[in-house]
């Protein structure tokens, strides 16, 4: 059974880079043709898909974030990561990692990690 | 981007009530739609895929229907553990987009 766990700084200064990691257990990140996704949720608001990386290495990002986002896989650590640069207060959110065999089938999810952008 | 419009944004209901939530897509998405439940303080959980297929382990009081641009999630008899926020998600085309959510509260 695949399990996911996010980790990373809870506080990031404006204009800096937000970096989060999702550690995968119960499955090899490079096998099985999974999609590995990042989704965020501003406090008290709805869900926003950020992007994903397929186990083949192909990526797709939400166009409005594309210029600032990078999602990558580290097979040696069985992790995938999110980097979001030039952050502002609008990037303050609970960040979830999720996976699925089919695009849009988010199952399971990590527990989420809150990132606050503030000086 | 395909816009997903959920209604209502919130509702109050009693245990045992039948509840229906609607999701409308700004363009046709076939049946490439899922429904997710998010309980307070928890990560979302997938309930329905392919617009109408129940994920394994999800109670049969949940059902989904629709195709194209209009979709519904129905809870046939609301239980205490169903008080949560529900989101639809289209995965027909990039970028994947969620509806704004429907919060189901206790009356």
């Amino acid at each position: 059974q695949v399990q996911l766990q996010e980790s990373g700084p809870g506080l990031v200064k404006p204009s800096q880079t937000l970096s989060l990691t999702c550690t995968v257990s119960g499955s090899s990140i490079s096998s099985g043709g999974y999609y590995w996704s990042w989704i965020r949720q501003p406090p008290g608001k709805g869900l926003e898909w950020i992007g994903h990386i397929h186990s083949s290495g192909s990526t797709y990002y939400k166009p409005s974030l594309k210029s600032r986002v990078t999602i990558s896989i580290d097979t040696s650590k069985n992790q995938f990561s999110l980097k979001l640069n030039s952050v502002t207060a609008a990037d303050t959110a609970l960040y979830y990692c999720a996976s699925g065999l089919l695009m849009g089938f988010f199952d399971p999810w990590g527990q989420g990690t809150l990132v606050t952008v503030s000086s | 981007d395909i816009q997903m419009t959920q209604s209502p944004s919130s509702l109050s209901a009693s245990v045992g009530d039948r509840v229906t939530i609607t999701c409308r897509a700004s363009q046709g998405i076939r049946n490439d739609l899922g429904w997710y439940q998010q309980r307070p303080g928890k990560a979302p959980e997938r309930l329905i895929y392919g617009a109408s297929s129940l994920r394994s382990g999800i109670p049969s009081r949940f059902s989904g229907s629709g195709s194209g641009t209009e979709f519904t999630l129905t809870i046939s008899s609301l239980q205490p553990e169903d008080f949560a926020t529900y989101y639809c998600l289209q995965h027909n085309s990039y970028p994947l987009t969620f509806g704004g959510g429907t919060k189901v509260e206790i009356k």
Side-chain angles (χ1 to χ4, degrees), chain A residues 75-97:
Chain A
T75 55
S76 66
K77 295 181 180 178
N78 221 40
Q79 296 174 335
F80 65 106
S81 65
L82 169 71
K83 291 190 186 300
L84 180 66
N85 57 37
S86 304
V87 297
T88 70
D91 296 309
T92 293
L94 187 58
Y95 284 77
Y96 292 102
C97 58

Side-chain angles (χ1 to χ4, degrees), chain A residues 64-83:
Chain A
S64 61
L65 298 172
K66 185 177 181 180
S67 63
R68 299 194 291 130
V69 172
T70 302
I71 297 175
S72 58
I73 283 179
D74 186 337
T75 55
S76 66
K77 295 181 180 178
N78 221 40
Q79 296 174 335
F80 65 106
S81 65
L82 169 71
K83 291 190 186 300

Side-chain angles (χ1 to χ4, degrees), chain B residues 4-102:
Chain B
M4 303 301 294
T5 303
Q6 267 184 253
S7 60
S9 56
S10 66
L11 64 89
S12 295
S14 301
V15 172
D17 283 353
R18 181 182 182 89
V19 168
T20 298
I21 298 168
T22 297
C23 190
R24 290 188 174 87
S26 60
Q27 63 190 71
I29 60 169
R30 302 183 305 183
N31 67 338
D32 297 329
L33 182 117
W35 288 97
Y36 289 78
Q37 176 194 64
Q38 186 177 33
R39 295 188 176 110
K42 300 295 186 182
E45 178 184 13
R46 185 166 59 96
L47 303 177
I48 300 278
Y49 63 95
S52 60
S53 297
L54 198 63
R55 178 191 165 205
S56 176
I58 301 301
S60 59
R61 63 181 179 272
F62 291 94
S63 64
S65 65
S67 183
T69 61
E70 295 250 348
F71 302 87
T72 59
L73 173 70
T74 300
I75 309 172
S76 60
S77 177
L78 201 63
Q79 298 302 300
E81 60 269 30
D82 301 337
F83 292 96
T85 301
Y86 295 84
Y87 295 93
C88 60
L89 166 75
Q90 72 79 21
H91 54 89
N92 175 263
S93 60
Y94 288 118
L96 308 189
T97 45
F98 288 92
T102 297

Side-chain angles (χ1 to χ4, degrees), chain A residues 45-77:
Chain A
K45 296 188 178 180
L47 300 165
E48 178 186 27
W49 179 77
I50 297 169
H52 67 210
I53 185 166
H54 189 259
S55 55
S56 65
S58 63
T59 55
Y60 196 96
Y61 306 128
K62 184 174 181 177
S64 61
L65 298 172
K66 185 177 181 180
S67 63
R68 299 194 291 130
V69 172
T70 302
I71 297 175
S72 58
I73 283 179
D74 186 337
T75 55
S76 66
K77 295 181 180 178

Side-chain angles (χ1 to χ4, degrees), chain A residues 4-23:
Chain A
L4 308 176
Q5 177 68 60
E6 305 90 348
S7 60
L11 181 64
V12 181
K13 289 182 168 39
S15 80
Q16 294 192 342
T17 296
L18 178 159
S19 295
L20 296 175
T21 296
C22 184
T23 300

